[in-house]
Amino acid sequence: MRLDKYLKVSRIIKRRTVAKEACEKGLVEINGKLAKSSSEVRVGDVLRITFGERIVEYRITNIKEHVLKDEAKELYELV
């Protein structure tokens, strides 16, 4: 699945366009490497996202095309 779509489906970032902009600004890394919005994500990848002065790391535990709001947190775990 594309990184920008995963960020939206998992509700880490609310909108796909915002996710794409974050990738273009270099705020998102996959396994320690800068990521483009079109990068493919897999189960086990570690995402590192810079939100202002905060840096948050997520490990991908599941990938689904569509999930309900309550189930979105099952797609990742905080590292």
Side-chain angles (χ1 to χ4, degrees), residues 2 6 8-10 12-14 16-17 20-21 26 28 33 35 38-39 41 47 52 57-59 62 64 69 75:
R2 287 176 55 107
Y6 178 81
K8 182 206 175 285
V9 169
S10 66
I12 294 172
I13 297 180
K14 301 282 187 217
R16 192 167 175 179
T17 54
K20 184 177 178 185
E21 290 171 4
V28 182
K33 297 180 182 177
S38 60
S39 299
V41 294
L47 302 179
E57 289 190 0
Y58 303 93
R59 178 173 288 116
N62 200 347
K64 293 183 181 178
K69 185 177 181 179
L75 298 181

Side-chain angles (χ1 to χ4, degrees), residues 20-42:
K20 184 177 178 185
E21 290 171 4
C23 293
E24 289 172 355
K25 291 179 183 177
L27 302 177
V28 182
E29 297 178 7
I30 299 176
N31 298 326
K33 297 180 182 177
L34 284 179
K36 295 182 179 179
S37 59
S38 60
S39 299
E40 290 291 318
V41 294
R42 297 181 188 90

